[in-house]
Amino acid sequence: MSYTGRFRVWRGDDDGGELRDFDVEVNEGEVVLDVLHRLQATQTPDLAVRWNCKAGKCGSCSAEINGRPRLLCMTRMSVFTPDEVVTITPMRTFPVIRDLVTDVSFNYTKAREVPSFTPPADLAPGEYRMQQMDVERSQEFRKCIECFLCQNTCHVVRDHDENKEAFSGPRYLMRVAELEMHPLDVVDRVPAAQEEHGLGLCNITKCCTDVCPEHIQITDNALIPMKERVADRRYDPLVWLGRTISRR
Ligand code: SF4
Ligand code: F3S
Ligand code: FES
């Protein structure tokens, strides 16, 4: 079945912009990105939209559809009724470059702030041995396609630019957790999680988990276990005693 769909697409740049209305043909089996490509081909050749794989794996096509953060290539047109106006806007947490393309360099900055995997100095590559259970735990986090939808959604930085300095966001707190849980990593990442990456600002609302296209249990499997490790350190009487004595 084909029909003429009604779309509102945000057009503009870092100086400002507005929603514009378009009527675009929609065909059976299409996703929102197909419609945007048709819009580019027939009415707005200069419409900026970032994409690569069209298979939900490169993480490039993140945007907001009817206010919900989603991948353009994985959102089927069949989830909307033919008479529904579909509104497509850029991710709100990052500065707009043009139209649907945002500057996501905040995330690269945060990625660089996490020290890389550090195995014991006397362990040569090829000598790494891990329990399957430990492999599986980090495997879930490594499904991340870096779409930054979780970073875009978290209320700590959404509409709060002032928190960006102190908060790495769910994606990079998850990276800290992944490395902290790694049995061969020798860096103590618990203090940095709280003090440098802003774990304490997360109040486990789980919005990040809700929008993750890879269905990673970011909150339950990464953020909460990390918070537990921070709490254990703080309230463990032996740790408290050790700290008190060392301060004297
Ligand atoms: Fe995207 Fe999920 Fe990775 Fe966040 S954790 S960047 S939502 S794939
Ligand atoms: Fe933000 Fe996710 Fe925590 S949405 S507040 S990082 S649970
Ligand atoms: Fe690669 Fe959508 S184009 S995830």
Side-chain angles (χ1 to χ4, degrees):
M1 185 192 81
S2 296
Y3 64 92
T4 302
R6 292 186 296 152
F7 296 86
R8 309 197 87 186
V9 181
W10 195 88
R11 301 226 52 197
D13 55 26
D14 57 351
D15 280 337
E18 60 182 6
L19 286 166
R20 302 248 183 94
D21 292 322
F22 299 98
D23 290 342
V24 191
E25 180 190 322
V26 179
N27 298 313
E28 194 162 352
E30 288 187 334
V31 293
V32 174
L33 186 60
D34 290 316
V35 174
L36 288 173
H37 283 161
R38 184 167 300 114
L39 178 61
Q40 268 181 333
T42 56
Q43 303 177 49
T44 59
D46 60 343
L47 175 71
V49 52
R50 191 187 275 135
W51 66 283
N52 264 291
C53 69
K54 209 170 172 281
K57 287 295 161 212
C58 73
S60 305
C61 66
S62 302
E64 303 196 0
I65 305 174
N66 290 352
R68 187 176 165 84
R70 308 183 77 132
L71 295 178
L72 295 170
C73 75
M74 296 303 285
T75 306
R76 294 191 167 277
M77 282 306 302
S78 57
V79 302
F80 311 107
T81 55
D83 59 348
E84 192 173 348
V85 178
V86 179
T87 303
I88 308 164
T89 48
M91 284 193 284
R92 191 159 102 191
T93 300
F94 311 119
V96 169
I97 297 174
R98 196 156 68 86
D99 302 334
L100 300 176
V101 176
T102 53
D103 175 358
V104 292
S105 52
F106 162 75
N107 301 287
Y108 306 135
T109 303
K110 295 299 171 184
R112 281 193 291 270
E113 287 171 3
V114 181
S116 54
F117 170 59
T118 311
D122 56 352
L123 200 64
E127 290 177 359
Y128 297 1
R129 296 285 180 271
M130 283 168 69
Q131 299 276 346
Q132 185 60 30
M133 198 177 73
D134 291 324
V135 174
E136 279 158 15
R137 193 183 293 141
S138 57
Q139 203 97 336
E140 180 190 13
F141 306 143
R142 295 189 74 87
K143 286 193 303 180
C144 174
I145 58 169
E146 305 233 289
C147 65
F148 308 133
L149 288 175
C150 58
Q151 301 282 95
N152 171 56
T153 306
C154 177
H155 68 94
V156 175
V157 284
R158 192 173 169 93
D159 298 325
H160 290 285
D161 276 348
E162 70 279 10
N163 287 339
K164 283 184 173 167
E165 177 88 26
F167 188 62
S168 294
R171 196 278 168 257
Y172 295 103
L173 286 165
M174 179 175 87
R175 173 72 177 147
V176 173
E178 178 195 334
L179 290 166
E180 176 60 26
M181 291 174 193
H182 197 299
L184 295 178
D185 187 80
V186 295
V187 178
D188 176 10
R189 297 171 188 271
V190 174
Q194 188 74 1
E195 285 150 29
E196 292 164 34
H197 304 291
L199 181 62
L201 291 169
C202 161
N203 53 356
I204 52 176
T205 54
K206 298 197 181 188
C207 313
C208 51
T209 303
D210 281 350
V211 299
C212 177
E214 286 293 317
H215 308 293
I216 303 170
Q217 296 301 305
I218 309 168
T219 321
D220 286 355
N221 292 348
L223 306 182
I224 292 176
M226 233 17 228
K227 281 178 174 287
E228 285 168 352
R229 287 177 191 220
V230 170
D232 283 352
R233 285 287 168 95
R234 279 205 183 151
Y235 304 114
D236 183 322
L238 287 177
V239 174
W240 175 81
L241 191 64
R243 273 211 221 104
T244 311
I245 291 169
S246 68
R247 264 191 230 122
R248 286 190 177 150

